[in-house]
Amino acid sequence: MPVQWLEQTLWELGLEVHRQSFSRTLPFPDETRERYMVHGTNVYGILRAPRAASTEALVLSVPCSPGSQNNQAVGLMLALAAYFREQIYWAKDIIFLVTEHDLLGTEAWLEAYHDINLTEVQSSGTPGRAGAIQAAIALELSSDVVTSFDVAVEGLNGQLPNLDLLNLFHAFCQKNGLLCTIQGKLPRSDWDSLPGYAHSLQTLALMVLAQASGRPRGDHGLFLRYRVQALTLRGINSFRQTKHGMAAVGRTLEGMFRKLNNLLERLHQSYFFYLLPSLSRFVSIGLYMPAFGFLLLVLALPTLQQLLPAFQQLLAPCSRLQHPSATCLSPQEARPGLLVLVPPVLICEAAGLALYLLPVLGQQVATQHFPVSEAEAVVLTIIAIYVAGMALPHNTHRVLPGAGAARGWLTLKLVALVALALVLVALALLNFSLGFLLAATMVPAAAAVQPNGPKVLLAVVLVLATPAVTLLLGIFLERELLEVPAGAGEGWQLFLAALGEGLLQHHLYGSCLCPLLALGVYPLWLLLWNVLFWK
């Protein structure tokens, strides 16, 4: 990145200019971007508000990509800085930020600006500060002309910005005649027809898959962690006839910053939890959460149906004089005890802990004994531990005296279903899309599993409900919705890349998807696998 040139240019525009150096050692090499030891520099200039104290600020962030991929965005940012400097109506400081190494640079700057260290990034700090950041816009342009703008809203761990910020961008795009899309899909005029409904469903499904991944779809995704409402705007230059120059884009951004400059309080009136079938319509949390609640009822009803007879036996001992046709259970069968849960629960949690820790800790050992790179060793270790969990012994409860009761599997299934319901409910409140996808795949299989049914059929259903298969099917579904279908080999490569990328984002940015699946969902799935092969 041309650090000195950027500093000189911003200084000549009359801004307060600062630089920030940072470094980060990745837990294992990122083969996609070919990096392991990352050193970079962020440059930012502060336009002080002439009409107020430096208590609040707005951010215009531009990632400086390798080569000339985002040079147009840097040039537009400098033009806006020169124009903003001449105006006197600003009531908030405006920070013009140029980051290096995409999300790593943004995370380093945010941690230094807020004086915290969440991801072990080494930074020189931010000597210049403005007020509390109210909103941020991340800009990405691939050409000096645009035919449309694609807006990205999904942030880290599925966080979404306030809906008012998205509505503000949509309103200015309509005012300036710019086409705006979401998930790369243009809204249809015949939205109330059958093709219009299918198009909205396709857009909605793409947003669900993007949010469920927990991956930030732009630099804005890291701002949301700090309660800063942010969007990423991507200028698209396609084959459409209507094209717009930088003047129209600049007017749109200037209008947005003037509106945000008039804010008297943080954006909080509109929704933070929503799904978007298009930019002009949304599905609020009050509509989709009841459907999720009805889905969880599938866990409760079969559980009660199976456990009520057992509870009746526990509360009322069997008496053939009172009930001649009753089937009496032995004391061990009627009261299997909680000891039956200890061995399988400990083994399943140990398998989840190994899945979370060993891939990164054991990469050096794997590279010494096998001809693979560090990144390949991490991914292959994840797959090996995941598959090995299915081969764990499923009769460990019998090592304890009196723990091998015939109805012990009911107790184990009850614990698994209750824990699964609690995990899904908590997850749906934070990332509805991820909670819904896991519930749609795991709930039917969890409700149907039992050791007395058709084992082969139930085993196939349970394997198809595992989170790994859900991830693989999600990759194929996303490619189909994007109208670029992937073959079996390409889909498998994307699956392996997604495993490594998910673990890397957990260590670099604090994504919760990896520990959630490894320490929460995967052990619960192993408990259900134990129920199926109960002896």
Side-chain angles (χ1 to χ4, degrees):
M1 190 172 74
V3 176
Q4 294 182 353
W5 179 84
L6 281 173
E7 287 181 326
Q8 180 68 21
T9 305
L10 291 173
W11 181 81
E12 291 176 355
L13 294 177
L15 303 184
E16 181 184 320
V17 186
H18 304 278
R19 72 163 65 179
Q20 177 211 14
S21 301
F22 66 91
S23 62
R24 181 70 163 92
T25 302
L26 276 61
F28 56 91
D30 184 1
E31 295 186 347
T32 304
R33 300 176 180 86
E34 298 181 353
R35 60 187 185 185
Y36 180 59
M37 297 285 295
V38 178
H39 300 274
T41 304
N42 298 325
V43 178
Y44 63 101
I46 303 176
L47 174 60
R48 297 293 179 181
R51 303 186 59 181
S54 297
T55 57
E56 296 179 343
L58 304 174
V59 174
L60 177 59
S61 174
V62 175
C64 190
S65 304
S68 59
Q69 182 178 357
N70 208 32
N71 283 355
Q72 292 82 3
V74 177
L76 181 59
M77 184 202 72
L78 296 176
L80 287 173
Y83 177 76
F84 288 179
R85 181 68 179 84
E86 299 173 356
Q87 311 307 315
I88 61 172
Y89 46 70
W90 298 114
K92 293 178 172 61
D93 295 344
I94 300 180
I95 303 174
F96 299 91
L97 172 64
V98 182
T99 60
E100 194 175 8
H101 297 297
D102 49 72
L103 295 177
L104 283 176
T106 305
E107 179 64 25
W109 187 83
L110 285 170
E111 289 188 5
Y113 190 87
H114 294 90
D115 197 20
I116 58 175
N117 192 351
L118 299 175
T119 59
E120 301 179 0
V121 62
Q122 303 297 323
S123 168
S124 62
T126 52
R129 299 191 179 216
I133 303 175
Q134 304 295 304
I137 302 295
L139 182 63
E140 298 179 12
L141 297 176
S142 58
S143 174
D144 54 356
V145 294
V146 298
T147 55
S148 63
F149 261 109
D150 188 67
V151 55
V153 296
E154 297 85 5
L156 184 67
N157 297 323
Q159 287 182 283
L160 299 174
N162 190 273
L163 192 58
D164 279 342
L165 186 61
L166 184 64
N167 294 335
L168 177 65
F169 166 71
H170 187 216
F172 270 100
C173 282
Q174 290 181 325
K175 180 179 180 180
N176 294 318
L178 287 171
L179 290 177
C180 51
T181 65
I182 186 168
Q183 310 298 333
K185 303 292 183 181
L186 275 173
R188 294 176 61 103
S189 57
D190 57 339
W191 61 270
D192 56 345
S193 63
L194 184 58
Y197 285 125
H199 184 270
S200 298
L201 180 61
Q202 186 179 11
T203 307
L204 184 69
L206 282 172
M207 179 177 178
V208 168
L209 293 175
Q211 186 185 17
S213 68
R215 178 175 58 90
R217 293 191 61 224
D219 286 0
H220 79 284
L222 300 179
F223 282 88
L224 298 175
R225 173 193 287 174
Y226 302 90
R227 292 188 61 200
V228 177
Q229 308 310 313
L231 293 174
T232 291
L233 308 181
R234 293 189 175 95
I236 308 298
N237 183 14
S238 63
F239 296 101
R240 297 187 180 94
Q241 295 181 353
T242 305
K243 296 183 181 295
H244 302 272
M246 291 294 101
V249 178
R251 283 194 299 269
T252 302
L253 292 173
E254 190 263 348
M256 290 186 65
F257 272 85
R258 287 195 65 176
K259 288 292 185 181
L260 294 172
N261 180 64
N262 296 330
L263 283 178
L264 298 179
E265 54 188 358
R266 289 182 180 271
L267 290 171
H268 69 280
Q269 297 288 349
S270 191
Y271 292 90
F272 288 94
F273 301 94
Y274 52 85
L275 298 174
L276 294 174
S278 71
L279 280 174
S280 57
R281 298 185 306 279
F282 72 97
V283 181
S284 70
I285 186 174
L287 294 177
Y288 59 70
M289 281 304 289
F292 182 82
F294 282 113
L295 184 60
L296 290 185
L297 284 179
V298 181
L299 291 177
L301 297 180
T303 304
L304 293 177
Q305 181 182 4
Q306 294 175 354
L307 291 179
L308 280 178
F311 286 154
Q312 291 176 357
Q313 294 286 350
L314 293 174
L315 297 176
C318 180
S319 174
R320 290 191 177 275
L321 297 178
Q322 298 178 3
H323 306 282
S325 60
T327 302
C328 294
L329 300 176
S330 64
Q332 285 187 350
E333 292 177 335
R335 303 177 183 275
L338 295 180
L339 287 178
V340 69
L341 306 178
V342 174
V345 168
L346 289 180
I347 290 178
C348 294
E349 288 297 334
L353 191 62
L355 182 64
Y356 176 65
L357 296 177
L358 290 185
V360 175
L361 297 179
Q363 57 177 311
Q364 298 297 335
V365 178
T367 54
Q368 292 175 1
H369 294 81
F370 301 97
V372 293
S373 63
E374 287 87 349
E376 293 173 340
V378 169
V379 174
L380 294 177
T381 304
I382 293 175
I383 297 176
I385 297 176
Y386 199 97
V387 175
M390 301 170 60
L392 292 174
H394 305 291
N395 57 350
T396 52
H397 56 278
R398 303 183 68 178
V399 302
L400 299 175
R407 290 186 177 272
W409 67 271
L410 283 175
T411 309
L412 183 60
K413 182 177 180 180
L414 173 64
V415 171
L417 293 184
V418 171
L420 181 61
L422 292 177
V423 168
L424 293 177
V425 168
L427 184 58
L429 295 176
L430 301 175
N431 187 343
F432 168 77
S433 298
L434 180 58
F436 174 77
L437 291 179
L438 290 177
T441 54
M442 294 190 66
V443 164
V449 65
Q450 57 178 341
N452 302 325
K455 270 192 170 48
V456 177
L457 178 61
L458 291 177
V460 171
V461 171
L462 201 56
V463 169
L464 293 178
T466 182
V469 177
T470 303
L471 172 61
L472 183 62
L473 295 179
I475 291 173
F476 283 106
L477 177 60
E478 183 182 24
R479 296 298 296 269
E480 288 291 338
L481 294 174
L482 292 174
E483 300 178 0
V484 281
E490 183 182 1
W492 177 252
Q493 293 298 325
L494 292 174
F495 172 73
L496 297 180
L499 293 179
E501 186 73 15
L503 186 59
L504 195 61
Q505 288 187 359
H506 166 62
H507 289 279
L508 293 183
Y509 314 122
S511 174
C512 296
L513 181 62
C514 176
L516 172 71
L517 295 181
L519 302 177
V521 180
Y522 178 64
L524 295 179
W525 183 86
L526 285 181
L527 287 179
L528 297 173
W529 190 259
N530 273 265
V531 171
L532 178 61
F533 292 97
W534 185 273
K535 295 181 182 180

